[in-house]
Amino acid sequence: VALLNAITNFGDKHFVMLYCGVGVVAVYNLASLLATIPVIVYQSFNFIWLPSFLQEKNLMILKKKTNKNGMRIFFLLVLLAVFIYVGAWVLLKLNIFPENYVLIMEILPPLLLAQIFASLNLFYFNYFTYFEKNYLTILTSIVINSLSYLLFSLTASRFGYIGVAYSLLLSNFTLFVIYYLLSSYYVKKSIKNNSL
């Protein structure tokens, strides 16, 4: 699943290269690199969270903890994204980033949001491990990745790099919605079955 999601989160660069040229790719790559910081921060949290998540047998408690932590993660990563965006602006003003990298300020917002949702996808993916339903995430990822490549192609040809960036955001957000709904369904189903 991680490999399939990586295809989406790195495949966008191929279409930027194809339709926008090497100059824009360099800026897009830097924006992508900065946008991965929230995912790295999330992974550090997940190493601590996952063992306690998998050991919790009470699904009501697990659901409450997960929803609470999911909101915390979202807001903390949004705050981190704001710091990254402001930091990039400062680096431009100090000429640490070249002047012609000013496009990064346009590219960063959708890419940062895309990676925040990528982090939340990993967070809710834990439920599929818990319920031993990993095959669902594989099937979902294959469908979303296929649609993502089609979307990248369509938006890159019409809107260039910014179309690709927002397509990545849409793909990751769609995957998040699916993961959230599926995980909620299995939690409710298991709680209902356990109460019978």
Side-chain angles (χ1 to χ4, degrees), residues 15 17 41 49 72 90 93 103 169 180:
F15 288 93
M17 171 75 83
V41 170
W49 163 251
R72 284 176 176 169
V90 170
K93 291 297 179 183
L103 285 179
L169 171 56
Y180 178 80

Side-chain angles (χ1 to χ4, degrees), residues 32 34 46 52 63 76 87 91 93 95 120 127 131 139 145 160 175:
S32 294
L34 292 173
N46 198 49
S52 63
K63 180 183 177 183
L76 285 172
L91 292 172
K93 291 297 179 183
N95 293 318
L120 290 172
Y127 270 120
F131 291 117
L139 293 173
N145 285 324
L175 194 59

Side-chain angles (χ1 to χ4, degrees), residues 82-151:
V82 171
F83 277 113
I84 293 167
Y85 187 81
V86 172
W89 180 81
V90 170
L91 292 172
L92 275 169
K93 291 297 179 183
L94 294 175
N95 293 318
I96 294 172
F97 288 167
E99 190 178 327
N100 61 335
Y101 272 52
V102 71
L103 285 179
I104 200 172
M105 304 311 295
E106 187 182 357
I107 300 169
L108 264 177
L111 290 188
L112 283 165
L113 272 173
Q115 295 309 320
I116 288 170
F117 283 112
S119 300
L120 290 172
N121 292 341
L122 294 171
F123 181 68
Y124 283 96
F125 172 82
N126 291 332
Y127 270 120
F128 299 100
T129 302
Y130 186 93
F131 291 117
E132 299 180 352
K133 302 285 185 182
N134 288 341
Y135 69 92
L136 285 174
T137 59
I138 294 171
L139 293 173
T140 304
S141 294
I142 288 171
V143 171
I144 295 297
N145 285 324
S146 300
L147 292 174
S148 294
Y149 266 65
L150 179 61
L151 197 57

Side-chain angles (χ1 to χ4, degrees), residues 11-52:
D12 55 334
K13 296 174 191 65
H14 167 74
F15 288 93
V16 173
M17 171 75 83
L18 197 62
Y19 289 95
C20 305
V22 177
V24 175
V25 168
V27 182
Y28 194 94
N29 281 341
L30 178 58
S32 294
L33 183 64
L34 292 173
T36 58
I37 294 172
V39 180
I40 294 167
V41 170
Y42 165 75
Q43 289 286 24
S44 300
F45 163 80
N46 198 49
F47 287 132
I48 300 166
W49 163 251
L50 187 58
S52 63

Side-chain angles (χ1 to χ4, degrees), residues 43-88:
Q43 289 286 24
S44 300
F45 163 80
N46 198 49
F47 287 132
I48 300 166
W49 163 251
L50 187 58
S52 63
F53 176 88
L54 295 176
Q55 288 168 11
E56 181 60 64
K57 301 303 178 189
N58 188 317
L59 285 171
M60 292 294 287
I61 293 172
L62 187 63
K63 180 183 177 183
K64 188 176 178 180
K65 282 183 180 177
T66 303
N67 289 338
K68 189 176 180 181
N69 282 326
M71 291 297 291
R72 284 176 176 169
I73 289 165
F74 177 75
F75 286 115
L76 285 172
L77 292 184
V78 167
L79 185 61
L80 176 60
V82 171
F83 277 113
I84 293 167
Y85 187 81
V86 172

